[in-house]
Amino acid sequence: MISGVFWNLFGTGFPLLVALWAVPHLLQGYGHDKFGLLSIIWALIGYFSIFDLGLGRALTKLVAERIGLKREQEIPDLVMTAMAVISVLGLSAGIIGVLSAEWLVGDLLKMSSDLALEGTAAMKVLSIGLPFVVLSAALIGLLEAHGEFKSVNLVRLMMGVGNFVGPTVSLSYSSSLVDATIILVVIRVLTTALYFQRCHKKKAFGTSVGHVDAALVRPLFQFGAWITVSNVISPLMVQLDRFVIGAVIGVVKLPFYVIPADMLNRLSFLPAALVNVLFPAFSKAMAHDRKHGAELFNKSCDLMLWCLAPIGIIICLYASDGLNLWMGEAFSSESAVIVKWLAIGFFFNGLARLPHALLQSSGRPDLTAKLHILEFPVYVAVMWLLLSEFNIVGAAIAWTFRMFLDMILLFFVAAQQVPEIRTRVLMNGINILVAAGLIAIFMVWDGGGYRIYFATFAVLGAVLFCYKEIKRLRGAESA
């Protein structure tokens, strides 16, 4: 598990460093309007992975369960059935993308007619790559079920770097978003081929040739259908803010919100690195040892809290100086307060991932989906109200509110469904609120001349906690 977390951190963390280098060049080269549209193209590449209808996540759970229950002979037929269905869904995604491009760019967003024409063409090019985006989600799910996090993240590393380097290279000969999108599509095709090659090499498809079995479609969709609801609504809530800003205020203001929001979103690789490893582990534990699964959940809550709280504190302490150094003083004056609000939301979101993964691995993806359905209209109403009242800062406040609501609801529902964790949920809640209060203090007060001491204390606290846990686990292993 430690190895899996490390490779998840590496595969998604290094592209963040590349983004820090590339984003200022892209903003200068494309201008605010085109960069705002490019950010939407990036968002759609990820969002259209919903067209796997949750079968990628279902594949992770069902294959991991069969490995845990020593029923590996069932894996080939399960994989072949899932891949056949997902291939059809991917082609459907591409067709829908082409048909909706003109409406999405030309009618929904506020921009000049020339940019709308260029954006529509870019969206149609992007649609060609959508089948590969959908297929990749399934291949990743299969590799993760087998614990092949190194293989997944070596390919993910190439894709993440390419997302930024590709458009940057395109700028050297063209300022057209169509050319940049062509490069992004080529990268997706190549990485899908690499995922397939890794699955074949690691024998993730099984040791025999599988066949499409209609009887397996139902269990895949029973789990995947509710995953799809979450995968539709959750990313929509993540990306909705930029579409609403583009529609209400205009794409020219988008960079001041999108750039810090994307950086915080990409920083989510830290909690995701742990959760992506825990999901198959939770699935195996919930299949035959729920007490172990509850213990694993409780320890992961402690670890996540101690990892995320120092990050939130440091972001709030150095938001203004960091943006000033990276993007310039004018940009920092517009976006620093946005970063601070998003830092608190990032903290809540990272912790919410744990009960979310526990519920799905215990066979109740319907509960996470229903919570997202409940949250969606509340989030839209709050965002619209705060956006009108506080401009783009209101969007950051609304997003943080939604992350807090999501976290509270997920922990509550998880405690109801998995009684083994109930005794720790209240204590976890108190610890989370105390840590969030500390982050909020540094959001309104930058620490003055004592910033370096507060930041050092936060980091040392996290390091000492992790050291203590590793020492405890080594002692238990020796015993």
Side-chain angles (χ1 to χ4, degrees):
M1 287 182 65
I2 292 174
S3 174
V5 171
F6 167 79
W7 282 108
N8 280 343
L9 288 172
F10 181 68
T12 51
F14 186 77
L16 180 62
L17 299 177
V18 177
L20 291 173
W21 163 79
V23 165
H25 297 285
L26 292 171
L27 182 62
Q28 182 180 8
Y30 286 115
H32 282 226
D33 286 357
K34 283 192 177 183
F35 183 86
L37 190 54
L38 177 62
S39 69
I40 291 176
I41 291 173
W42 279 332
L44 288 175
I45 290 177
Y47 184 73
F48 271 87
S49 63
I50 63 169
F51 277 89
D52 78 333
L53 298 187
L55 298 189
R57 195 69 158 172
L59 201 57
T60 301
K61 180 184 185 300
L62 296 176
V63 171
E65 283 183 348
R66 280 157 175 76
I67 294 173
L69 297 172
K70 308 299 182 183
R71 291 160 49 188
E72 290 90 344
Q73 72 277 5
E74 300 176 13
I75 291 177
D77 287 351
L78 178 63
V79 172
M80 183 62 71
T81 304
M83 298 299 289
V85 175
I86 287 172
S87 297
V88 174
L89 296 173
L91 291 173
S92 302
I95 294 171
I96 292 173
V98 171
L99 296 177
S100 63
E102 187 171 350
W103 168 80
L104 183 62
V105 177
D107 298 335
L108 184 61
L109 301 176
K110 289 183 178 180
M111 63 183 71
S112 66
S113 57
D114 290 341
L115 183 57
L117 289 173
E118 183 178 332
T120 300
M123 289 295 180
K124 290 181 178 179
V125 172
L126 174 64
S127 300
I128 299 174
L130 294 182
F132 299 95
V133 173
V134 175
L135 187 58
S136 290
L139 295 171
I140 290 171
L142 182 58
L143 286 168
E144 288 182 345
H146 286 273
E148 293 294 335
F149 298 100
K150 179 179 178 180
S151 298
V152 169
N153 284 285
L154 286 175
V155 180
R156 183 177 285 156
L157 173 66
M158 298 173 57
M159 182 181 66
V161 171
N163 277 341
F164 296 100
V165 173
T168 305
V169 171
S170 176
L171 269 177
S172 64
Y173 60 86
S174 171
S175 61
S176 171
L177 286 178
V178 176
D179 293 334
T181 307
I182 290 173
I183 293 179
L184 292 176
V185 169
V186 170
I187 291 170
R188 286 288 175 162
V189 173
L190 292 176
T191 53
T192 301
L194 288 173
Y195 281 131
F196 188 89
Q197 185 269 336
R198 301 307 296 175
C199 283
H200 179 72
K201 183 176 181 180
K202 298 296 181 179
K203 298 182 179 180
F205 296 122
T207 55
S208 61
V209 178
H211 301 86
V212 175
D213 185 350
L216 293 173
V217 174
R218 184 176 180 180
L220 282 166
F221 274 107
Q222 279 181 330
F223 188 87
W226 285 110
I227 295 289
T228 300
V229 176
S230 288
N231 286 350
V232 169
I233 297 178
S234 184
L236 181 60
M237 288 191 286
V238 171
Q239 307 297 344
L240 183 66
D241 43 16
R242 58 205 68 197
F243 283 97
V244 174
I245 292 171
V248 176
I249 301 175
V251 295
V252 69
K253 280 285 187 178
L254 266 178
F256 295 112
Y257 179 85
V258 168
I259 289 176
D262 276 351
M263 289 300 103
L264 266 297
N265 187 48
R266 294 181 187 282
L267 196 60
S268 294
F269 77 88
L270 292 168
L274 176 61
V275 172
N276 287 344
V277 175
L278 285 171
F279 179 75
F282 283 159
S283 296
K284 294 175 184 177
M286 288 300 163
H288 64 85
D289 190 356
R290 292 173 66 89
K291 184 178 179 180
H292 172 65
E295 182 181 358
L296 189 60
F297 174 80
N298 291 328
K299 298 308 297 182
S300 64
C301 286
D302 293 338
L303 181 61
M304 189 75 81
L305 177 67
W306 279 95
C307 288
L308 296 184
I311 295 173
I313 291 172
I314 292 171
I315 290 173
C316 287
L317 287 173
Y318 291 98
S320 297
D321 290 344
L323 282 172
N324 190 19
L325 180 64
W326 182 38
M327 300 297 296
E329 185 176 354
F331 192 94
S332 176
S333 64
E334 290 268 3
S335 296
V337 67
I338 293 174
V339 171
K340 293 179 180 181
W341 274 106
L342 294 176
I344 299 180
F346 163 78
F347 173 72
F348 292 142
N349 178 245
L351 288 160
R353 292 170 183 263
L354 293 171
H356 185 275
L358 183 67
L359 285 169
Q360 290 190 346
S361 63
S362 61
R364 294 305 305 269
D366 60 307
L367 294 176
T368 60
K370 290 171 183 176
L371 288 179
H372 287 148
I373 293 172
L374 177 66
E375 294 168 18
F376 182 72
V378 176
Y379 175 51
V380 172
V382 170
M383 182 175 61
W384 197 275
L385 177 64
L386 294 179
L387 189 61
S388 302
E389 186 70 23
F390 300 105
N391 210 312
I392 54 176
V393 176
I397 299 173
W399 186 80
T400 297
F401 167 78
R402 208 268 297 180
M403 293 299 106
F404 176 74
L405 178 64
D406 187 55
M407 180 192 70
I408 294 295
L409 292 175
L410 283 168
F411 269 103
F412 176 79
V413 174
Q416 299 302 310
Q417 295 298 315
V418 185
E420 291 86 352
I421 71 170
R422 289 179 185 175
T423 56
R424 284 289 305 275
V425 166
L426 180 60
M427 181 58 67
N428 287 334
I430 294 173
N431 293 337
I432 290 169
L433 291 178
V434 170
L438 288 174
I439 299 173
I441 289 173
F442 295 113
M443 187 185 77
V444 298
W445 177 56
D446 66 2
Y450 299 96
R451 285 187 299 175
I452 185 64
Y453 300 108
F454 289 124
T456 302
F457 179 78
V459 172
L460 286 177
V463 171
L464 288 174
F465 174 82
C466 293
Y467 172 77
K468 178 182 176 182
E469 283 301 300
I470 292 173
K471 187 176 180 180
R472 186 189 68 81
L473 290 171
R474 282 180 174 174
E477 184 179 19
S478 298

